[in-house]
Amino acid sequence: MSFLLSILIDGLIYASWLFIVSAGLTLIYGVMRVLNMAHGSFYAIGAYTAASLVGWYFNHDELPAFGSFAVMALGAIAVGFVAGLVTERGVLRFLRGRDEVVMVLVTFGLLLVYEDLIKFIWGVQSYYASQPYSLLGSTDIGEINFVNYDLAMIGVAGVVAAVLWWSLNRTRQGKLLRAVINDRENAVALGINVNRLFMATFAIGAGLGALAGGLSAPAIAVNPGLGVEVIVLAFAVVVTGGLGSVEGALIGAVLIGLARAAAVNLWPEAELFVIYGVMACVLAFRPRGLFVLDSARKI
C-alpha cells in the first residue's frame, strides 16, 4: 500500500505542476489558435523573477518569512503579465490570421530571443531560492515523508483549475471568450471586441506560465535553458488532452503525471519515454486529443 500511495501522491504532485505550466498554453491556443512556443520563456522569466525576489526578501530579516510566498507568486505573475502584453501588442497582433505553422515559427523565434534576453539580465549562473521550500515543513503519509510545499502544489493546481472553469463558464467575459472560440467571425459581427479579448487572454496565459515558474523556483536550480525543457513537456500535456481544452490539459496532466511516477518507481530508465509514450498512445486512438473543442459547422 505504501508503494502505491507513493506513486499516487508523486504522480499528483507532478501532474499539478504540469497542469499549472500548460494551462496558459492551452488557454491561448483555445482562444487565439496560436501554439505559443514562447510560453516556456514566460515560465523561465517567472522562475528567475521569483528567485531574485526571494533572495532580496530574505536579505531583510525584519520581514516575515511567510510573506515570501506572496512576493514570489505575485511578482512572477506581474512580470509574466507584462511580458505577455508586450509580446502580443508588439509582435503577434501584426500577424493575426496567419497560418498556424507561421505562428509556431514566430513564437519559436521569440523563445530564442527571450532566452538571450534572460541571459543578458540574469547572466548564465544558476539561481537558488530554496528558503520557501522548507518553510512549510513535511508530513508523514504512511511510511513516506512528503514535503508540504510539494503537497501544496496540488491545492494550487485545484484553485487554478476552478478559477479557469468559473471564469470561462460563469462570467460575462468568459462567455464572450467562448463565443470567440466557437465562431470568431460571428463574434466580430456581433460587436465583440476581439482584439481586446486576445490581448487579455495572451497576458493571462503568460501570467499563468510565469506563475508556474515562480512556484517551481524554490524546488529547482533556476538556470539557462529552463524554458526550452518546459515547453516540450507542456506541449505533450496539451496535445494529449486536446489543444485548447483546459479540461483536457487537466486530464492529460494527471495521466502523464501518474504514468511518470509509476515509471520512476518501477522502471527509472523509462521516465522520459513514458511521458511521450502516453501522448503517442492517446493520439493513436484520438488524433486530436482526449477533448476536442466544439466548432461551428459552416454551410
Side-chain angles (χ1 to χ4, degrees):
M1 286 299 295
S2 296
F3 183 71
L4 293 177
L5 185 64
S6 174
I7 292 177
L8 176 63
I9 296 179
D10 285 342
L12 289 178
I13 290 172
Y14 191 68
S16 300
W17 175 78
L18 283 177
F19 173 71
I20 299 171
V21 169
S22 59
L25 180 64
T26 199
L27 178 67
I28 290 172
Y29 183 86
V31 177
M32 303 175 65
R33 292 298 187 270
V34 173
L35 188 55
N36 178 30
M37 300 298 289
H39 193 74
S41 294
F42 299 142
Y43 174 92
I45 289 171
Y48 273 100
T49 299
S52 300
L53 289 174
V54 166
W56 167 84
Y57 191 88
F58 279 95
N59 281 332
H60 295 76
D61 296 333
E62 69 278 7
L63 297 175
F66 281 91
S68 60
F69 295 111
V71 168
M72 69 179 187
L74 295 177
I77 292 173
V79 172
F81 194 86
V82 171
L85 282 178
V86 171
T87 301
E88 200 281 330
R89 291 287 88 188
V91 179
L92 297 184
R93 72 186 177 102
F94 300 109
L95 301 171
R96 196 166 295 152
R98 298 290 183 90
D99 188 87
E100 291 182 16
V101 176
V102 173
M103 301 304 290
V104 169
L105 294 174
V106 169
T107 55
F108 180 72
L110 289 172
L111 170 68
L112 300 179
V113 171
Y114 275 125
E115 286 296 306
D116 285 340
L117 181 61
I118 288 170
K119 292 177 184 176
F120 178 77
I121 296 174
W122 281 283
V124 295
Q125 70 272 23
S126 296
Y127 282 73
Y128 299 91
S130 59
Q131 296 93 329
Y133 191 71
S134 58
L135 279 178
L136 297 179
S138 60
T139 299
D140 291 325
I141 302 178
E143 300 176 356
I144 307 168
N145 183 268
F146 292 94
V147 178
N148 288 337
Y149 187 92
D150 291 334
L151 296 175
M153 289 288 285
I154 300 175
V156 173
V159 170
V160 170
V163 169
L164 285 176
W165 181 88
W166 179 80
S167 299
L168 289 172
N169 294 280
R170 292 291 184 267
T171 66
R172 180 176 181 273
Q173 293 301 317
K175 292 175 181 178
L176 293 179
L177 272 180
R178 294 180 72 86
V180 173
I181 292 170
N182 288 320
D183 195 332
R184 188 180 304 177
E185 294 176 2
N186 279 337
V188 173
L190 290 171
I192 296 175
N193 191 332
V194 174
N195 288 331
R196 184 181 299 170
L197 286 177
F198 281 175
M199 179 180 66
T201 299
F202 198 88
I204 291 170
L208 285 172
L211 172 63
L215 294 176
S216 300
I220 62 174
V222 181
N223 48 40
L226 191 64
V228 178
E229 298 172 11
V230 165
I231 189 61
V232 176
L233 292 173
F235 182 74
V237 171
V238 299
V239 168
T240 300
L243 285 168
S245 170
V246 175
E247 296 88 349
L250 179 60
I251 300 301
V254 171
L255 288 177
I256 290 175
L258 292 175
R260 181 219 177 231
V264 167
N265 284 274
L266 297 172
W267 190 16
E269 296 85 356
E271 175 188 350
L272 287 178
F273 168 78
V274 165
I275 292 174
Y276 304 109
V278 171
M279 179 182 71
C281 290
V282 169
L283 295 183
F285 295 96
R286 294 185 64 86
R288 297 179 64 187
L290 294 173
F291 292 82
V292 180
L293 291 178
D294 295 331
S295 58
R297 185 169 65 91
K298 298 186 183 297
I299 300 176

